[in-house]
């Protein structure tokens, strides 16, 4: 049986956490990453094979690896990026994903795992939102992710490979490198008296700790035996942005921070005011999020200001 796997985006936040757990499980790992937002420091370079490749380039020129599974986590992960740059989600998400699928087919890799996002739901009016509730798209990032999903499903239905698609809420925890907690910690380190909050602070979101997320991705993708399956991966709990800010300030021992709101229901154009996913399909495979959102936020803050992260040094 082939023991090697490929992880695209393996030097990034989620990918490097997937890689750490795969190493513990004794798997030989090949990382395809151009290090645009990823970092070698996230990796134990003695225990992985890092191939510096831009996945937009011709997939026929990528190293040929005999692998059992293709974990595809490389992307433009910045939901807001597409607002100003209308190309980025097409090239970094859709073109890259199509290249990855064609590479997997050419190299006879029979298992394809993809990182999609809760943004594909746009602004739903059913909560918790189930996998079959697709509404109008509200961001080019979400539009590219649902397009990637469609390509992967079509390839699966051509019988090229089994595929597992995960729609994630926001991940938090060790390795965290972008998102609301990063934004708040960065601002508070610059000025501990005031914090600008995008929107009115009443946006309600769900968050998932990396340890729960990694377990979900690796276990569920290995267990299901359908040709192609989509799973929401999120938390039963939700939290509004003001409460999240309170926890960040408390963890940083800041008592008198004045919040300043930019106003409006959304933090930015394309932001969803409420994200809460139904995860019963994933739970049918024995998975359950075990780390509370509050504990995950506190650990993320401690990680960001730690020597280990070196994010703000
Ligand atoms: P990240 O930016 O930390 O990691 C992305 C990785 O992909 C980086 O290592 C980057 O260098 C690499 N990459 C980007 N473009 C590339 C290219 N053209 N060629 C080769 N490598 C390239 O992002 P992340 O937060 O770890 O996200 C991982 C995946 O999960 C992405 O697909 C993202 O859209 C999805 N996702 C993330 C979250 C979250 O909360 N972080 C939520 C939903 C979905």
């Amino acid at each position: 049986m082939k023991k090697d796997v490929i992880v695209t985006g393996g030097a990034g936040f989620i990918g490097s956490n997937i890689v750490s757990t795969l190493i513990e499980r004794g798997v030989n790992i090949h990382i395809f990453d151009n290090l645009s937002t990823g970092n070698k420091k996230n990796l134990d370079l003695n225990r992985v094979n890092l191939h510096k490749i831009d996945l937009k380039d011709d997939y026929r020129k990528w190293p040929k690896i005999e692998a059992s599974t293709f974990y595809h986590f490389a992307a433009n992960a910045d939901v807001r990026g597409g607002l100003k740059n209308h190309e980025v989600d097409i090239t970094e998400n859709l073109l890259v994903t199509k290249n990855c699928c064609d590479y997997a087919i050419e190299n006879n890799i029979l298992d394809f795992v993809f990182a999609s996002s809760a943004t594909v739901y746009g602004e739903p009016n059913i909560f918790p939102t189930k996998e079959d509730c697709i509404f109008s798209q509200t961001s080019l990032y979400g539009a590219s992710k649902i397009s990637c999903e469609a390509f992967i499903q079509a390839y699966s239905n051509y019988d090229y490979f089994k595929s597992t698609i995960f729609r994630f809420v926001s991940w938090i925890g060790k390795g965290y490198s972008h998102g609301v907690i990063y934004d708040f910690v960065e601002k508070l380190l610059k000025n501990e008296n005031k914090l600008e909050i995008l929107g009115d602070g009443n946006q309600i979101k769900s968050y998932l700790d990396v340890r729960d997320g990694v377990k979900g991705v690796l276990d569920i993708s290995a267990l299901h035996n359908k040709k192609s399956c989509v799973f929401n991966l999120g938390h039963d709990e939700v939290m509004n942005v003001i409460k999240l800010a309170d926890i960040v300030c408390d963890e940083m021992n800041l008592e008198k921070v004045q919040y300043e709101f930019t106003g409006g229901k959304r933090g930015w154009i394309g932001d969803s005011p409420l994200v809460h996913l139904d995860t019963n399909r994933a739970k049918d495979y024995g998975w359950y999020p075990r780390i509370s959102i509050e504990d995950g936020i506190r650990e993320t803050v401690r990680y960001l200001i730690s020597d280990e992260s070196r994010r703000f040094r």
Side-chain angles (χ1 to χ4, degrees):
M1 198 181 133
K2 294 177 196 167
K3 265 280 186 190
D4 290 23
V5 304
I6 294 166
V7 183
T8 73
F13 166 39
I14 295 180
S16 62
N17 278 286
I18 295 278
V19 165
S20 301
T21 303
L22 285 170
I23 290 174
E24 284 166 18
R25 295 185 182 186
V27 178
N28 193 31
I29 298 150
H30 295 266
I31 294 172
F32 290 180
D33 200 305
N34 67 355
L35 303 178
S36 53
T37 55
N39 197 315
K40 281 185 194 172
K41 288 181 190 148
N42 292 334
L43 300 169
D44 179 348
L45 292 171
N46 295 319
R47 300 180 77 184
V48 296
N49 307 287
L50 174 62
H51 307 272
K52 193 166 176 231
I53 317 173
D54 191 323
L55 298 164
K56 297 190 288 303
D57 295 342
D58 186 352
Y59 66 89
R60 294 171 200 89
K61 297 188 178 143
W62 305 353
K64 297 200 180 305
I65 314 277
E66 269 197 41
S68 58
T69 308
F70 195 101
Y71 295 97
H72 178 31
F73 289 89
N76 159 51
D78 174 16
V79 183
R80 282 180 269 184
L83 195 56
K84 287 201 176 126
N85 177 351
H86 294 181
E87 305 301 316
V88 67
D89 294 303
I90 298 221
T91 52
E92 297 294 339
N93 296 356
L94 188 53
L95 172 64
V96 159
T97 299
K98 184 244 168 227
N99 282 345
C100 289
C101 289
D102 281 333
Y103 173 89
I105 293 164
E106 194 161 286
N107 290 278
N108 203 25
I109 301 173
L110 301 178
D111 194 6
F112 196 95
V113 179
F114 177 61
S116 187
S117 162
T119 54
V120 302
Y121 296 114
E123 287 191 20
N125 52 23
I126 299 172
F127 300 99
T129 312
K130 284 186 194 282
E131 285 85 351
D132 52 6
C133 293
I134 294 295
F135 290 83
S136 189
Q137 296 301 315
T138 54
S139 69
L140 289 180
Y141 172 85
S144 74
K145 285 290 187 186
I146 197 80
S147 309
C148 293
E149 289 189 17
F151 268 69
I152 294 165
Q153 281 161 352
Y155 280 120
S156 280
N157 284 320
Y158 287 162
D159 274 337
Y160 285 124
F161 45 60
K162 164 190 158 183
S163 62
T164 317
I165 292 164
F166 291 100
R167 294 181 184 149
F168 300 144
V169 299
S170 298
W171 286 43
I172 55 178
K174 189 177 168 195
Y176 185 84
S177 57
H178 54 98
V180 62
I181 305 174
Y182 190 100
D183 184 37
F184 284 177
V185 170
E186 186 173 40
K187 284 174 178 164
L188 289 166
L189 287 173
K190 283 191 189 134
N191 182 349
E192 54 181 45
N193 298 314
K194 118 180 158 195
L195 177 64
E196 181 196 61
I197 295 180
L198 303 182
D200 61 10
N202 291 313
Q203 306 95 302
I204 294 173
K205 311 268 177 171
S206 189
Y207 302 88
L208 187 64
D209 188 275
V210 277
R211 288 160 292 181
D212 284 328
V214 167
K215 194 164 166 25
V217 167
L218 296 181
D219 292 354
I220 295 167
S221 62
L223 282 171
H224 90 84
N225 56 10
K226 299 195 173 72
K227 204 180 267 188
S228 179
C229 203
V230 179
F231 294 93
N232 284 338
L233 226 49
H235 212 292
D236 294 340
E237 298 173 8
V238 289
M239 185 177 285
N240 78 15
V241 177
I242 295 172
K243 170 81 178 158
L244 182 143
D246 291 346
I247 295 169
V248 172
C249 292
D250 185 60
E251 194 55 42
M252 292 175 77
N253 293 318
L254 302 173
E255 279 176 10
K256 291 184 182 146
V257 180
Q258 196 188 330
Y259 296 161
E260 290 182 356
F261 300 95
T262 59
K265 268 170 69 181
R266 295 165 197 78
W268 60 87
I269 298 171
D271 181 28
S272 283
L274 174 51
V275 178
H276 187 197
L277 302 186
D278 180 303
T279 55
N280 282 318
R281 194 179 282 176
K283 286 179 188 149
D284 283 346
Y285 288 82
W287 175 81
Y288 195 84
R290 294 183 188 282
I291 295 146
S292 74
I293 290 183
E294 173 158 357
D295 285 351
I297 293 169
R298 288 187 183 280
E299 285 190 42
T300 306
V301 174
R302 289 200 290 276
Y303 165 77
L304 284 173
I305 58 182
S306 69
D307 289 341
E308 185 192 0
S309 113
R310 284 170 296 192
R311 298 280 171 199
F312 300 107
R313 281 154 210 266

